[in-house]
Amino acid sequence: MNSIISQWKADLLRTVRDRRFLLISLIMPVTFYLIFIHDGKAAIAGTDWGAYFMVSMASFGVVGAAVNTLGVRLSAERQGGWVRWLRTTPLSAVGYALVKVATQLLISLIIVLVVFLAAHVDQAVTLSTGRWAVLLAWLWIGSVPFAALGVLIGLAKTSAQVLGTLAFVGLSLLGGLLTPVQSLSPTMRTLAYWMPTYRYADPAWNLLAGRSLGLSNMAYLVGYTVIFLAAAAFVQQHLDSHPNAN
Amino acid sequence: MNPVICFDHVTKSFTHTRAVDDVSLKIFAGQSVTLLGPNGAGKSTSIALMLGLQKPTSGRVTLFGANPVRSISHERLGVVLQNVSIPDRLRVTECINLARGFYPHPLPLSTLLHLSGLEADAHLWANSLSGGKMRRLQFALAMAGDPHLLFLDEPTVGMDVAAKHHFWDTLHTLVTAGKTILLTTHDLNEADLISSRVIVMNHGRIVADAAPEVIKTQFASRQIHFSCATTDLLDALQNWPETVSVESRGQHYTISTRDSDQTLRRLLGRPWPIHDVLVTGGGLEEAFMRLTKEETK
């Protein structure tokens, strides 16, 4: 347990000192929110644009942190042999994974809170305390499939940075986080419905409009999590069966 | 006494190769052991098995009597690996404290900074250290848990001569304090200085396992050089049973011998006017070359 706390402390220190992380995960969604919002009171999908786009940007930030930052960081630690050394210490593989998940969850929480705060201050988005809490809880827990995708990307060797950026931008664009699905062509809209990013943000949009979260959204997210984790396990096993792997 | 490390008929196969081939060995507490072998001899795989980074295909590996794959068995282990880059955005002290946090009975931070000679660099970013200092930081990380078994993979690569000597002194202190040390190195002088036991591997097997002196006398010959102006001694020298070969260049002679003491006694017992006697060689390097070459044939 002590070894987990020690690793977590170091991970948090490194995260706070990471400018790339601050830029992508915190400043970018907040800036986009402030720049692209013009009429926060416009109606969209049963709610107003100020609240709708707040969810979009919170999701955008969380996906970026998980897919891009986490993936690049895991890959760097593996590539640099650091993970191999850690495996010779009493810190277990499960402990290492727990720390990464805990750090990622904390980061997601902070991103969502910061975007909420920006929306509340700039566009006077107001919700009941209960609804704020449910929205926060969903955006927090629903980020799990993206953490799984981050783990998968982290297994890539030198290409993790490129893959992470591609997945982040691609999933955000196609999933309707940057432009609402309602404004997309029918083809693009059908494609968006397949995206984990859409399935992650849609329950939060539903919450704003007073609709139910939507069971099919959950099914998609669970399915994606299973696929990403299975792919990660497969790649890991493949790496382990080679003499020079860790 | 229970061994610290035990291999019981261990084999590790990969798709196309058998990296470790039916190896059995025991390393006991307080021993200082060097593992030698050319590239591809099975050294790295044996190490990966000892540290629990790989599982054997067959046979059994134990570390402190437990399965090395279980991280609990690593509490009394300290490891310096090659090609490990320290995570970025951590200072030297933070890095050492991170490692200290992994172990139940860590050494104090100040002791570790002193051991590794990094007192002056304590507040620098860890990943900005030079090659030699990076090795010393890795040594500090390996010592963080006050280990009983210290495993060092090429520990002095990148160190200058002074740093190497300081490092060897530190290792001597640890051996005297009863620590078990397992070392791999390409520097045979290092192996000779530090270890009381040398294990030579080739083609996945152990080809020699003995004290460095024993290996040297068994597998390396010594050379006796001297000068003698008067007679031609070539035939007489060649007839001695312990002689391996004799070379002469003018009045200078070089005898390669399996038993330098015996050859010297004979030489000085004869009425020949020999002078400028010098005994050389018999190094671990020659023994190593011979051992791994014989196996290759």
Side-chain angles (χ1 to χ4, degrees):
Chain A
M1 193 61 211
N2 282 337
S3 56
I4 292 179
I5 292 168
S6 184
Q7 176 71 37
W8 201 39
K9 266 199 279 188
D11 258 31
L12 289 181
L13 256 180
R14 293 179 61 210
T15 302
V16 172
R17 289 171 179 168
D18 187 351
R19 275 193 224 119
R20 180 188 141 86
F21 154 74
L22 287 177
L23 188 75
I24 293 184
S25 307
L26 284 176
I27 298 176
M28 219 155 80
V30 170
T31 315
F32 278 17
Y33 185 82
L34 300 178
I35 290 175
F36 292 119
I37 200 137
H38 44 98
D39 180 11
K41 296 289 166 230
I44 178 169
T47 179
D48 61 50
W49 177 234
Y52 184 96
F53 199 54
M54 171 182 81
V55 163
S56 306
M57 283 304 100
S59 311
F60 177 70
V62 167
V63 172
V67 173
N68 207 355
T69 317
L70 176 66
V72 171
R73 223 174 263 173
L74 288 177
S75 171
E77 287 191 11
R78 285 180 64 88
Q79 287 297 105
W82 180 248
V83 172
R84 186 178 161 87
W85 183 78
L86 282 179
R87 282 175 64 186
T88 72
T89 71
L91 178 70
S92 63
V94 175
Y96 178 76
L98 277 178
V99 168
K100 293 297 164 189
V101 170
T103 308
Q104 204 54 39
L105 282 175
L106 187 67
I107 289 171
S108 304
L109 191 66
I110 292 168
I111 293 168
V112 175
L113 282 173
V114 168
V115 175
F116 279 9
L117 186 71
H120 180 66
V121 172
D122 188 63
Q123 294 296 321
V125 173
T126 28
L127 300 171
S128 70
T129 316
R131 189 157 287 181
W132 276 123
V134 177
L135 205 56
L136 177 69
W138 168 254
L139 288 174
W140 197 35
I141 295 161
S143 66
V144 168
F146 303 100
L149 180 57
V151 169
L152 176 61
I153 288 172
L155 292 173
K157 293 195 166 162
T158 44
S159 48
Q161 183 129 21
V162 178
L163 280 177
T165 308
L166 273 178
F168 170 41
V169 176
L171 289 175
S172 302
L173 265 175
L174 297 176
L177 298 185
L178 299 174
T179 44
V181 282
Q182 289 80 356
S183 66
L184 296 175
S185 72
T187 322
M188 291 308 283
R189 201 178 305 171
T190 314
L191 187 60
Y193 292 154
W194 280 96
M195 292 293 131
T197 32
Y198 175 79
R199 297 295 172 178
Y200 169 50
D202 192 48
W205 290 322
N206 287 344
L207 276 171
L208 290 174
R211 294 186 295 263
S212 73
L213 293 170
L215 268 181
S216 63
N217 288 327
M218 311 288 170
Y220 271 94
L221 290 180
V222 170
Y224 272 114
T225 308
V226 170
I227 291 171
F228 294 148
L229 287 181
F234 176 78
V235 175
Q236 175 75 59
Q237 202 151 36
H238 179 73
L239 289 175
D240 272 351
S241 65
H242 282 264
N244 297 324
N246 31 316
Chain B
M1 195 163 64
N2 290 324
V4 174
I5 297 171
C6 180
F7 273 44
D8 184 17
H9 295 285
V10 172
T11 295
K12 176 69 183 179
S13 304
F14 296 106
T15 321
H16 300 291
T17 50
R18 183 171 282 193
V20 172
D21 190 2
D22 193 30
V23 165
S24 295
L25 72 92
K26 282 179 178 156
I27 291 171
F28 292 95
Q31 286 190 331
S32 171
V33 182
T34 294
L35 193 57
L36 286 179
N39 291 335
K43 253 184 327 175
S44 308
T45 308
S46 301
I47 291 158
L49 290 166
M50 287 172 196
L51 300 178
L53 298 172
Q54 301 256 11
K55 288 176 198 160
T57 310
S58 66
R60 211 165 89 97
V61 181
T62 55
L63 176 69
F64 295 111
N67 182 351
V69 174
R70 296 184 58 221
S71 43
I72 193 91
S73 67
H74 299 171
E75 284 186 351
R76 290 182 289 168
L77 172 70
V79 177
V80 174
L81 291 177
Q82 281 192 84
N83 305 323
V84 170
S85 48
I86 302 290
D88 53 359
R89 301 186 296 276
L90 284 181
R91 298 182 192 283
V92 169
T93 45
E94 290 162 354
C95 216
I96 295 177
N97 278 332
L98 165 64
R100 292 179 64 238
F102 293 157
Y103 299 92
H105 308 291
L107 289 176
L109 177 64
S110 56
T111 309
L112 292 166
L113 285 172
H114 177 72
L115 261 179
S116 54
L118 287 172
E119 288 112 326
D121 308 291
H123 295 287
L124 295 181
W125 293 115
N127 70 337
S128 71
L129 294 177
S130 68
K133 282 182 179 170
M134 189 64 92
R135 295 307 277 174
R136 276 146 59 185
L137 173 58
Q138 289 177 352
F139 179 65
L141 298 183
M143 289 300 297
D146 192 13
H148 289 234
L149 168 63
L150 190 57
F151 172 82
L152 308 159
D153 195 7
E154 304 273 349
T156 52
V157 168
M159 286 189 193
D160 58 37
V161 179
K164 267 188 191 182
H165 280 276
H166 179 257
F167 184 74
W168 290 335
D169 285 344
T170 311
L171 285 191
H172 267 295
T173 318
L174 293 172
V175 174
T176 315
K179 307 279 185 193
T180 313
I181 293 183
L182 181 62
L183 184 84
T184 73
T185 182
H186 275 98
D187 183 348
L188 295 163
N189 181 33
E190 181 166 272
D192 209 358
L193 269 173
I194 295 168
S195 299
S196 54
R197 179 177 169 194
V198 173
I199 299 174
V200 185
M201 286 192 80
N202 203 14
H203 298 293
R205 295 188 177 179
I206 293 175
V207 292
D209 180 354
E213 298 78 42
V214 174
I215 290 192
K216 280 186 281 186
T217 40
Q218 265 180 357
F219 297 98
S221 56
R222 294 209 172 162
Q223 278 85 45
I224 300 173
H225 313 263
F226 61 89
S227 300
C228 180
T230 53
T231 38
D232 184 10
L233 306 176
L234 216 52
D235 286 341
L237 299 175
Q238 259 159 357
N239 284 333
W240 292 347
E242 68 276 7
T243 301
V244 177
S245 65
V246 186
E247 280 175 49
S248 68
R249 205 167 286 156
Q251 52 180 309
H252 300 289
Y253 289 84
T254 301
I255 313 174
S256 287
T257 170
R258 274 182 288 270
D259 185 348
S260 54
D261 300 343
Q262 179 64 29
T263 306
L264 264 183
R265 249 179 250 122
R266 289 189 207 264
L267 266 179
L268 299 172
R270 297 290 191 282
W272 303 326
I274 64 168
H275 54 99
D276 287 339
V277 179
L278 176 71
V279 183
T280 62
L284 202 52
E285 183 152 359
E286 195 197 337
F288 175 69
M289 295 294 289
R290 190 164 295 189
L291 268 168
T292 50
K293 221 182 273 171
E294 273 168 16
E295 274 292 303
T296 317
K297 268 186 232 163

